[in-house]
Amino acid sequence: MPTRLQTWIAVPLATMAIVLGARVTVDLPGTDIETTLQTLAVFLAGGWLGPWRGMAAVVLYLALGAVGLPVYADGGAGLAHLFGPTSGYLFGFIACAGVVGALWRGHEPTVLRAVGLPLLATALVLVLGVPVLAWRAEMPLGEAVEKGGLAPLPGGLLKAVVTTLLLLGEARWLRVGAGHGPAGDAAR
């Protein structure tokens, strides 16, 4: 169980990872859409910190942007950005961190779980983000699905793969460090 001090350190660090992830943008070929690494940071915040601390990191991220700090993608900030066309994705990050944290922490780390969670979380963010994009950007739902759901999907899948590798790597590292892996058995 993390101490209060560890929580006070871990949550802001995870928030900073989300901020930095929002700064890394990649233009998706053949579209006018760009993707960021912030969802990767959100996945990892939930997986590494658990559901409540992972969601707290995302809420802190959203709050920093809401009060005017340029932490959102492309340096966006303020309430207009927070409640703009991408607000469904932004608020979806809270649910995403919670789901990944709840289904990863405290459970046996398996490849199926490590693969399935980021895919489920990606789907969750898109399901929450696309309808709000259509509503707030006043675009037909089909266009929102194409631009805000299908276009970023390859990037989302790549981030899911990276998350899978990092979560499994962390689980293996913790098991070996606790004496449950090949290196731990040899050390006894």
Side-chain angles (χ1 to χ4, degrees):
M1 187 85 170
T3 66
R4 194 173 281 166
L5 178 61
Q6 289 170 325
T7 298
W8 280 98
I9 293 169
V11 169
L13 285 176
T15 300
M16 287 309 302
I18 298 168
V19 170
L20 293 174
R23 295 289 185 202
V24 179
T25 58
V26 178
D27 291 327
L28 297 173
T31 72
D32 57 351
I33 303 294
E34 61 184 22
T35 188
T36 68
L37 294 183
Q38 65 193 133
T39 48
L40 174 64
V42 169
F43 294 159
L44 294 174
W48 287 340
L49 301 180
W52 298 110
R53 288 176 187 86
M55 290 189 302
V58 176
V59 169
L60 179 56
Y61 166 72
L62 296 177
L64 291 173
V67 298
L69 295 176
V71 297
Y72 301 140
D74 292 329
L79 292 175
H81 191 90
L82 180 61
F83 294 105
T86 61
S87 62
Y89 302 101
L90 292 172
F91 286 102
F93 290 164
I94 300 170
C96 173
V99 166
V100 172
L103 297 176
W104 181 255
R105 278 281 162 238
H107 297 282
E108 182 65 28
T110 64
V111 172
L112 179 61
R113 188 180 307 279
V115 170
L117 283 176
L119 294 176
L120 174 64
T122 299
L124 180 62
V125 170
L126 294 177
V127 164
L128 294 171
V130 168
V132 176
L133 175 65
W135 170 54
R136 300 296 290 162
E138 298 179 359
M139 68 173 62
L141 184 58
E143 183 181 349
V145 167
E146 181 183 325
K147 290 184 174 183
L150 297 177
L153 196 55
L157 295 176
L158 179 61
K159 289 180 268 188
V161 168
V162 171
T163 302
T164 298
L165 296 173
L166 290 172
L167 288 177
L168 286 174
E170 179 235 7
R172 185 169 192 280
W173 179 73
L174 289 176
R175 288 181 56 82
V176 168
H180 298 293
D185 292 338
R188 285 192 228 182

